[in-house]
Amino acid sequence: MSIIKRVAKNTSSLLLSQIISYVFVFFGTMYTARYLGAGGYGILSTGIAITSIFAVIGDLGLGSLTVREVARNKSLTNKYVVNTTLIKSFLSIIMLVLIVITTEIINYSPEISNIIYILTLSIIFNTFSGVFGSIFQAYEKMEYVSIAGIIISILTFIGFIMAIYFNLGIVKFAFVYLIVSIINLVYLMAIFIWKFFLPKINGDWKFWKNNIKADLNFWKYLLMQALPLSIAIVFSVIIFKIDTILLSILKGSAVVGWYTVAYNILQALFIVPTAFTTSIFPLLSTFHISSKESLKLTYQKSFKYLTILGIPTAVGITLLADKIILLVYTQEFIPAIIALQILVWTVPFIFLTILFGAVVTSINRQNLLMKILFIVMIFNIILNLILIPQFSYIGSAIATVLSELVTFILFFKFLSNYVCRFSSRDAIFKTIIASGIMSLFIIYASINVLFVIPIAIIIYFVTLILLNTFSKDEIDLFRQIFEVKK
């Protein structure tokens, strides 16, 4: 299978999975927020934010390192699985202890504390699931990861609906995450044993002696290689979650609820760049060794396409934010409208910084990733501490947008110097024109928002085509992708 077809297959698989998953997450979140109210949903969101920050400790960048190295050398599969699993066992204990200490220091209420501890167990199971997910990604077998995502979303949705139907308390919603994480681990482990592990044993017990053992020297190598990446991931999670925690401490659970529902809509938009970069990351890692020109071309094309998707998304949601919030949530969440209108302007930057992070990691520049995200983290924390006391969740939203702008500038400057320099002015200019025409339709359309969105998308892409935004080679590429789906 050609590179283009492999990328298309994996991206399509992940996209389909994430779209299906998001449909269930969307309705699950909607009913949960309505049932719990802004205050209750804010409590659950606070627990998720706390555990998300510490979840990084359970992985420490080992997942991305495994993908990169196994993609380059498949013979390392069993060695990475065994040793990363053992390392993560110790890291999970450390994570659990740190979460308990932090929760006690902040002195959260017993209800929030119980939610945090239950979610921590869920995070631990997800940490081990990540071992197998990394192998599937390295082998470009995204269909297994895709099915896992669908299973998780469906089971979580069912769990939330049952909790609402039986009128259960907020703590039971945390148990839903725990149960689903256990099922997900069992599924991924079974697939790995079936597809990758058992065929290699062949009744040879020397296999166990040679492969199923801890290699302490290899542990040291892994941790040293993963350390910059793991620290970078910690900084990244703090950037995205510290605002929620600060809001919970300084402004209360209801404000967290408003802010989180806007953030949830925002996160749903990241399924496209996430699926795409997940699919191309193994290729980028291979191209760094085998073909620098292919690496440059992949980076340039990816930049263009993600720019074309990011800008109109921000424009459209800014204009439709009030309709979207009121369609999904109750009047209690009206304050989330302004938060969404501000936060959505992180989209054009995040679409590209997700790509930048994958490129930087693929070329073994974890140290740079760590340094950039450290700068942005400090900038973000300072902005939040300045803006939250005076502007509440609106201040957090502004801090998030400015932080992503700084991230974009720092990454783009480095990649322009060390990977390749290119001009994207033509694509950006045409994207802005097409977005402007699309926005005129949105402003003057007097039909239901569910009809406005697909029509606006069609208008946008038709305008791009009329402006000759895509070259003949790119059109041929799209045709090849289309052929995959036949």
Side-chain angles (χ1 to χ4, degrees):
M1 185 180 292
S2 69
I3 291 175
I4 291 175
K5 290 186 177 182
R6 292 209 314 271
V7 172
K9 179 181 80 72
N10 289 319
T11 302
S12 300
S13 175
L14 283 174
L15 264 180
L16 179 62
S17 163
Q18 293 193 19
I19 290 171
I20 294 173
S21 298
Y22 177 66
V23 170
F24 285 98
V25 170
F26 173 82
F27 285 105
T29 300
M30 179 180 72
Y31 289 125
T32 300
R34 289 180 174 184
Y35 174 74
L36 296 176
Y41 190 66
I43 290 173
L44 183 62
S45 300
T46 299
I48 293 173
I50 289 284
T51 52
S52 295
I53 289 178
F54 286 95
V56 179
I57 297 174
D59 182 76
L60 284 185
L62 293 171
S64 296
L65 182 65
T66 299
V67 175
R68 190 183 74 191
E69 298 303 320
V70 174
R72 294 172 179 173
N73 185 355
K74 300 298 191 297
S75 66
L76 296 173
T77 299
N78 293 316
K79 188 172 186 178
Y80 268 86
V81 169
V82 171
N83 286 280
T84 56
T85 299
L86 292 173
I87 294 173
K88 287 186 176 188
S89 299
F90 290 102
L91 293 176
S92 295
I93 296 173
I94 296 172
M95 177 182 69
L96 178 61
V97 172
L98 290 176
I99 287 178
V100 171
I101 293 173
T102 302
T103 303
E104 294 303 317
I105 290 175
I106 296 177
N107 195 28
Y108 278 124
S109 67
E111 185 176 46
I112 297 180
S113 297
N114 289 335
I115 289 172
I116 290 173
Y117 297 145
I118 295 168
L119 291 174
T120 299
L121 295 177
S122 170
I123 292 295
I124 290 173
F125 284 108
N126 287 334
T127 294
F128 292 113
S129 297
V131 174
F132 306 111
S134 297
I135 298 300
F136 299 148
Q137 185 181 349
Y139 277 81
E140 299 178 49
K141 298 292 184 180
M142 304 305 183
E143 59 269 27
Y144 302 130
V145 179
S146 300
I147 293 172
I150 294 173
I151 292 173
I152 290 172
S153 60
I154 292 175
L155 292 178
T156 303
F157 173 77
I158 293 173
F160 286 168
I161 295 301
M162 290 180 64
I164 294 170
Y165 179 80
F166 290 105
N167 197 30
L168 301 179
I170 188 173
V171 175
K172 299 302 187 296
F173 285 84
F175 272 110
V176 172
Y177 287 104
L178 175 58
I179 294 170
V180 171
S181 67
I182 295 172
I183 295 173
N184 182 52
L185 175 59
V186 172
Y187 161 76
L188 290 173
M189 186 184 298
I191 294 296
F192 174 79
I193 291 173
W194 176 36
K195 291 292 185 178
F196 293 91
F197 189 68
L198 286 179
K200 298 183 180 182
I201 297 180
N202 294 325
D204 185 359
W205 289 101
K206 289 183 179 180
F207 172 88
W208 296 90
K209 180 179 179 181
N210 295 332
N211 292 282
I212 311 302
K213 64 180 180 180
D215 185 339
L216 297 182
N217 289 328
F218 188 55
W219 285 26
K220 182 179 178 181
Y221 165 79
L222 284 177
L223 292 174
M224 291 301 295
Q225 287 292 311
L227 184 61
L229 185 59
S230 63
I231 295 174
I233 295 172
V234 171
F235 294 159
S236 179
V237 174
I238 290 174
I239 290 168
F240 280 99
K241 296 297 181 180
I242 193 65
D243 48 6
T244 301
I245 296 172
L246 291 175
L247 283 171
S248 72
I249 296 171
L250 299 174
K251 295 297 179 179
S253 298
V255 172
V256 173
W258 299 332
Y259 188 71
T260 302
V261 297
Y263 224 128
N264 287 343
I265 293 173
L266 189 71
Q267 289 179 317
L269 302 174
F270 301 151
I271 62 175
V272 173
T274 300
F276 180 71
T277 53
T278 299
S279 298
I280 67 171
F281 179 64
L283 294 175
L284 292 171
S285 300
T286 304
F287 287 155
H288 175 61
I289 302 298
S290 62
S291 173
K292 292 294 192 295
E293 287 303 314
S294 295
L295 176 65
K296 293 177 182 178
L297 180 61
T298 303
Y299 168 56
Q300 291 176 20
K301 296 297 184 183
S302 300
F303 185 100
K304 177 179 178 178
Y305 301 148
L306 291 175
T307 299
I308 287 172
L309 293 174
I311 293 176
T313 300
V315 172
I317 291 183
T318 300
L319 297 173
L320 294 170
D322 56 340
K323 295 180 177 64
I324 293 172
I325 292 294
L326 292 175
L327 176 69
V328 179
Y329 303 103
T330 62
Q331 295 284 330
E332 185 181 5
F333 291 93
I334 285 179
I337 294 172
I338 183 65
L340 178 58
Q341 289 175 320
I342 297 171
L343 283 171
V344 76
W345 286 97
T346 62
V347 168
F349 303 125
I350 292 180
F351 269 39
L352 292 171
T353 55
I354 290 174
L355 169 66
F356 294 162
V359 175
V360 169
T361 303
S362 71
I363 62 175
N364 297 357
R365 297 303 297 265
Q366 301 96 305
N367 286 324
L368 174 78
L369 187 68
M370 177 182 66
K371 292 173 183 177
I372 289 178
L373 291 179
F374 174 75
I375 294 170
V376 177
M377 180 190 69
I378 298 300
F379 177 76
N380 180 266
I381 292 174
I382 293 173
L383 271 186
N384 273 293
L385 289 174
I386 292 173
L387 296 176
I388 287 177
Q390 187 171 357
F391 301 105
S392 188
Y393 65 99
I394 296 176
S396 289
I398 294 171
T400 300
V401 174
L402 293 177
S403 297
E404 286 306 316
L405 172 60
V406 172
T407 307
F408 170 83
I409 292 171
L410 294 176
F411 270 126
F412 185 69
K413 185 177 184 300
F414 168 80
L415 291 173
S416 295
N417 291 333
Y418 291 94
V419 176
C420 67
R421 189 182 298 274
F422 61 94
S423 175
S424 57
R425 293 177 184 176
D426 183 62
I428 293 174
F429 178 69
K430 292 177 180 178
T431 297
I432 292 173
I433 292 176
S435 297
I437 295 172
M438 177 193 73
S439 58
L440 289 175
F441 165 75
I442 293 173
I443 292 170
Y444 292 105
S446 57
I447 56 178
N448 188 284
V449 65
L450 296 178
F451 295 103
V452 169
I453 292 174
I455 295 174
I457 292 172
I458 293 172
I459 290 173
Y460 173 73
F461 279 104
V462 168
T463 306
L464 284 182
I465 293 171
L466 293 175
L467 291 172
N468 294 319
T469 307
F470 305 106
S471 66
K472 183 180 181 301
D473 289 341
E474 289 171 327
I475 293 173
D476 290 339
L477 182 147
F478 297 147
R479 285 174 179 166
Q480 289 187 56
I481 292 175
F482 179 75
E483 289 170 2
V484 176
K485 299 178 183 179
K486 287 184 177 180

